[in-house]
Amino acid sequence: MPAARGGWRRPDGPPAGPSDHALARTVLRFAIVLRCGGVAAAMVAAGIGDGAGVSRGWQAGVLAGLGCWAALFTAVAIRRGLSLPLVAADVLVVALVLLAQPRYISEAAVADETTWAIMLAGTSIYVAQLALRPPVSLPLAAVVIAAYQIGVPAVTSQPRVMIVQTLAVVAIMELLRRGGRKADAVVAGRDLERRQVVVEAARRADEREQRAQLHDSVLATLTMVASGAVGPGSATLRPAALRSLAIMEGRAGCGPPPARPVDLAEALTAPGDRPPGLVVEYAVAPISTPEPVALAIRGAVGEALRNVERHSGTTRARVSAEQSAGVLTVEIADAGRGFSPARVPDTRYGIRVSIVDRMAAVGGIAEVKSARGRGTRVRLRWPHG
């Protein structure tokens, strides 16, 4: 599963939830600290340690290489996350260093169990257990422990200690992941219930609007005709009757909107909502949403595009949509003249009613970010399970 930039990449298992993303950020930072801090501590320990019986040239070369690897590890982890290839490469680098221990570690230091190679091996084991699941991380830990055992220049009990440390970290990470999945399930269930309530409220609001239109137009026209207030030749009767007929045709067979999913990409790119004088670039992934939500987003996007055409001074706009961490985000952006949202008078209803209130009616939110000369971004968010 692809990971967000600077995130953690889980090689298997169900899709990541909010707890996975939160844990990923923490693990990423901790892994970088472990790798860089471990190498820095090794340099300090080697500098102040007894150099008897070791090659200072080998020691300097190994530490310089580890410093370069720590820098590369940090850059790749920040850019691409703790992927399996990166963690495996870290294990390989550390294993090669551990195999060469007789050249830079004295037997006296091994006997005292105070070598910086122990610390280096431990950091590599921890990084693997933090970043990956046990089916992958445990074999990598075994590689590090075996390399240490083969390369150590004297008998030591450290491999057994490393095994215990590995199993302890694995147990802690599994408990964290399992607890996070349970929390995600509870939160997702509550979000689903809330969205169902919000969507049902939107349906009832639509029915009330339809009834209001029937009362204000259709029944009013019929009442005028029945009471004799207007005659057959009245100039106002025909237009009023046509408006009433249009409302009745729109109402006929409508009922509550069916609880069916709608492809948001199709809803946003459908003809009719795009202003004729505007070139719109769409970057919308196929995302399934409840019909009332898709209609609300489509209406808000349409109003935002009309505002671009009328006020931005540009003929181009971009509409993008993505779903991440349980939130559907739609953004309408232009590089026009921009404006100050705080200075928009209350008498202007376009943004407040047609965008903000429309999203609020289905449980979403709308944000408008703009500044003079810096274009405008309208961001719509809706919690999506």
Side-chain angles (χ1 to χ4, degrees):
M1 184 191 71
R5 182 175 178 140
W8 159 65
R9 199 171 291 186
R10 185 168 64 183
D12 54 15
S19 69
D20 283 313
H21 288 279
L23 184 61
R25 290 190 293 269
T26 302
V27 165
L28 176 66
R29 298 188 187 101
F30 192 47
I32 292 174
V33 170
L34 278 174
R35 176 47 54 236
C36 295
V39 172
M43 292 179 176
V44 173
I48 64 177
D50 183 9
V54 299
S55 170
R56 285 296 189 182
W58 263 88
Q59 198 174 72
V62 167
L63 291 173
L66 285 173
C68 294
W69 169 246
L72 179 61
F73 178 92
T74 300
V76 175
I78 292 175
R79 183 173 180 83
R80 299 183 179 276
L82 294 174
S83 62
L84 174 58
L86 178 62
V87 177
D90 183 71
V91 167
L92 177 61
V93 169
V94 172
L96 292 175
V97 171
L98 295 176
L99 289 173
Q101 288 180 85
R103 296 183 178 272
Y104 57 82
I105 298 293
S106 66
E107 292 189 12
V110 173
D112 293 338
E113 297 186 346
T114 58
T115 71
W116 53 266
I118 296 173
M119 178 173 49
L120 182 65
T123 56
S124 184
I125 290 172
Y126 292 154
V127 168
Q129 307 315 306
L130 292 173
L132 304 173
R133 301 300 296 272
V136 181
S137 66
L138 288 177
L140 292 178
V143 170
V144 175
I145 296 172
Y148 178 86
Q149 180 64 43
I150 294 172
V152 70
V155 177
T156 174
S157 62
Q158 278 302 312
R160 291 192 295 273
V161 175
M162 292 178 186
I163 292 173
V164 173
Q165 291 174 337
T166 300
L167 296 178
V169 176
V170 167
I172 292 173
M173 290 303 298
E174 284 302 296
L175 288 174
L176 287 174
R177 291 174 183 133
R178 186 177 302 175
R181 286 194 294 269
K182 290 181 179 178
D184 286 345
V186 173
V187 172
R190 292 178 179 174
D191 285 346
L192 178 60
E193 293 176 0
R194 185 178 65 83
R195 289 197 298 271
Q196 289 174 341
V197 170
V198 169
V199 171
E200 184 60 31
R203 291 174 179 170
R204 290 196 296 268
D206 180 69
E207 290 180 346
R208 288 195 297 269
E209 176 65 20
Q210 293 286 353
R211 287 195 294 268
Q213 291 184 11
L214 286 173
H215 177 272
D216 295 344
S217 180
V218 179
L219 295 181
T221 302
L222 294 176
T223 300
M224 286 191 298
V225 173
S227 64
V230 294
S234 172
T236 61
L237 178 59
R238 181 176 177 81
L242 288 175
R243 286 195 300 270
S244 300
L245 180 60
I247 292 174
M248 291 296 292
E249 288 177 345
R251 178 67 177 169
C254 166
R260 63 184 181 88
V262 172
D263 186 350
L264 185 63
E266 293 182 1
L268 292 182
T269 57
D273 289 342
R274 193 180 318 170
L278 196 65
V279 178
V280 183
E281 175 190 353
Y282 290 94
V284 183
I287 301 172
S288 179
T289 60
E291 187 175 25
V293 176
L295 294 177
I297 293 176
R298 176 180 175 178
V301 170
E303 178 63 21
L305 293 176
R306 286 188 288 273
N307 287 339
V308 173
E309 183 188 38
R310 295 170 188 160
H311 308 298
S312 71
T314 183
T315 59
R316 303 187 68 86
R318 187 175 190 272
V319 176
S320 59
E322 63 176 5
Q323 180 181 333
S324 176
V327 177
L328 169 62
T329 302
V330 179
E331 185 175 88
I332 308 94
D334 69 78
R337 61 172 64 100
F339 67 100
S340 175
R343 301 182 64 180
V344 176
D346 293 338
T347 54
R348 297 285 296 274
Y349 296 104
I351 294 177
R352 180 162 57 87
V353 174
S354 298
I355 297 179
V356 177
D357 290 353
R358 178 174 270 147
M359 288 301 299
V362 292
I365 60 174
E367 301 172 336
V368 180
K369 295 184 178 180
S370 184
R372 293 287 183 182
R374 296 186 179 181
T376 302
R377 291 180 181 272
V378 178
R379 190 167 294 160
L380 314 175
R381 288 192 179 96
W382 186 75
H384 192 286

